[in-house]
Amino acid sequence: MTETTTPPRSEPLLTVDNLSTHFTIGAGRLRAVDGVSFSLQPGQTMGIVGESGCGKTVLSRTIMRLNLGNNIHTSGHVNFLGKDLLNLPMSEMTDIWGQEVAMVFQDPMTSLNPVVKIGRQVHEHVRKHLGASKTEATELAIELLKSVRIPEAETAIDAYPHELSGGMRQRVSIAIALACSPKLLFADEPTTALDVTVQHQILNLLGMQQQERSMAMVLVTHDLGVVAGRTDEILVMYAGKIVEQAKTAGIFHRTSHPYTEALLRSIPKTDQPSHTRLAAIAGRPPTLITTPKGCSFSPRCPYAQQRCFEEEPPLTESDQGHLTACWYQVGTAENREAWETNLASGRLATLAVAEGQIVDETAVKLTSGDS
Amino acid sequence: MGKILIVRLARLIATLFAVSLLTFLLVEQLPGDPVIALLGPEGLYDWDTVERIREELKLNDPTLVRYGRWVGDVLQGDLGKSYITDQPVADAIRDRVPVTLELALLATVIAAVCAVPIGAFSAYREGGRLDRLLSGFTTAALSIPGFVAAIFFIWLFTLKFNWFPSTGWNRITDKGLWANLKTAILPASALALAPLAVNARLIRADMIGTLKEDYVLSARAKGLKSRYILMRHALRPSALTAVTVFGLQLGGLIGGTVVIETIFALPGLGTRLISAIYQRDVLMIQGITLFVATVYVVVNTAVDLLYLALDPRIRRQ
């Protein structure tokens, strides 16, 4: 647990290359993840952001090979610690799970076994992976529970999950994930099921443990606010594809993709007066069975032009290390022009955004006039 | 907890009253007479003797008076004597019960030991070849009546392989465990078949649900082996339905070994009950029925308490 500063350009810990996960279901093929590539350096944090159903959970589970079922087709490559994860025999996979790569699940109410004591859930895989004796493992479990700030860890190991609060349970899940000191941790919406105050504590705890252990982390969330100060890099996913990928600061300060912009717009702000309507993104995400020709965000995009409905934009580097898949990137002259055209022609998605902005501006004027 | 136990106990006693009264009234409705059964056909020509014996056995009193007397005796620990053989009913039960109890327990153990892996692995391989094969087996086991299976077992294991005897019973106390098991294994297996199939199906159905739970996925993500996950994580939450039925089955087996005991000519409670019914031996019928009902109710109460062991969430209430 020494604090090592990772050299800036080392071998990546995880490389994902052109990864696709398709489900065959009655109506056809559901492209949950479609051609995703990225890499992660040791000790770094990657945020994966997107709406529900955009494929972010399937992506992390595919990388971990936790998709259960036989109607799944995966293609592409996942390289982790020099191993080709997708083609590894299951017997070797069980040695990697829990030991090299671990996962914290979304809902601590369901991800802990209700009929197994906390202690055993924390240390059973330690005994399997590290061959620890029962007493050693129990001591380790207590130590782990203490490190995730669970009060009275000595008695907590004999408790059942239902005897703990949601936040405490998520701490237990984190302790379980950290037990064998993995090199990579997937946190799949780790705070979605928790109260806002507890969310903050859990995220801080994750960040702290990550730094202490110099562990890499993939933080999956639908909330850009969650990843804001906690990640090195962010992937924005839409309809199973990466639409924007950049350093965290780049995503927030030089937003290039209209979808990312819309996500940022939809975060409620505290300086808005009460009863301001939330800025939602008009329309719904496409069903991934029949992805539209062209850009999959085009039906909901305020800037969409004819080209967007016909040709799919490739993921190109718009800035140093900043990748975006859009023909009319936010902040460009083409984008401004597309906006004016759509406003003039009365495109609904465009009008909705414009209306929101007008409401915003008048509201701000009203409040400043009052004070 | 104490309150629950008192309520359970009251319910238990009420059940036993109801069972014994119903049995008494039913036997009363049967045609025939214990005295005729005792004397044989000659009794029909000797009404004086018949009347005398009826008077001695107080069979001429009204039904409810006799039932009340029987209840009074039972409450004092006296189950009465057989009209026919004069043997105390308690002795008859004590004599016969080890056979029936052993058969029932052995059958239950066989059913449980086989049902758990069959249910668990067919759930794990849901829809696969193994699952379909095991489903076929459980369907067959359910649809074949116990006595047909018994006859098949006798044909296979006695006539073809000559591994086990087809009839008779060796007491553990007389001939030792191995000789005893040799006579017990075939009837117990025949008895076990139906509960085995039912339990395997229940466990499979519940387990399929359990395996979709998040905590099973998180157990996988910890790198635990499939067998460990099935047995240590998924089995207990999937066992509640099976355990409920398990209690009913064990109770049912104790009262329901009649046919199998008859096929294998075993000196159990079932065969004794049958002969008592043929002879209208009211007190014997009453005694055995009361015993079987008691075991049944007690076992099921115990099963209710077993839930507490299986699911810690119930313990709090």
Side-chain angles (χ1 to χ4, degrees), chain A residues 190-271:
Chain A
T191 57
T192 306
L194 303 175
D195 290 344
V196 182
T197 46
V198 181
Q199 283 189 13
H200 189 69
Q201 295 167 5
I202 294 289
L203 289 168
N204 287 349
L205 175 70
L206 273 175
M208 234 167 52
Q209 292 289 341
Q210 186 207 358
Q211 283 199 335
E212 263 176 43
R213 294 162 189 267
S214 61
M215 163 181 81
M217 180 159 80
V218 174
L219 186 58
V220 177
T221 178
H222 62 264
D223 186 354
L224 269 171
V226 162
V227 290
R230 308 175 194 277
T231 52
D232 299 298
E233 203 173 349
I234 290 179
L235 297 180
V236 180
M237 280 185 80
Y238 188 78
K241 294 193 181 80
I242 296 179
V243 293
E244 186 164 3
Q245 171 179 6
K247 298 274 174 239
T248 305
I251 290 281
F252 285 95
H253 300 308
R254 264 171 310 194
T255 314
S256 304
H257 199 280
Y259 177 62
T260 319
E261 190 195 35
L263 278 182
L264 284 168
R265 201 186 299 125
S266 65
I267 300 174
K269 292 168 197 69
T270 43
D271 57 2

Side-chain angles (χ1 to χ4, degrees), chain B residues 31-51:
Chain B
D33 191 300
V35 182
I36 304 293
L38 175 67
L39 295 176
E42 303 94 71
L44 289 171
Y45 306 102
D46 190 0
W47 281 107
D48 290 343
T49 320
V50 169
E51 227 13 73

Side-chain angles (χ1 to χ4, degrees), chain B residues 11 24 36 42 53 61 63 116 137 172 177 199 265 271 314:
Chain B
R11 213 191 288 166
F24 210 87
I36 304 293
E42 303 94 71
I53 297 175
D61 293 351
T63 314
V116 167
F137 166 74
I172 300 185
L177 182 67
N199 283 342
T271 39
I314 307 175

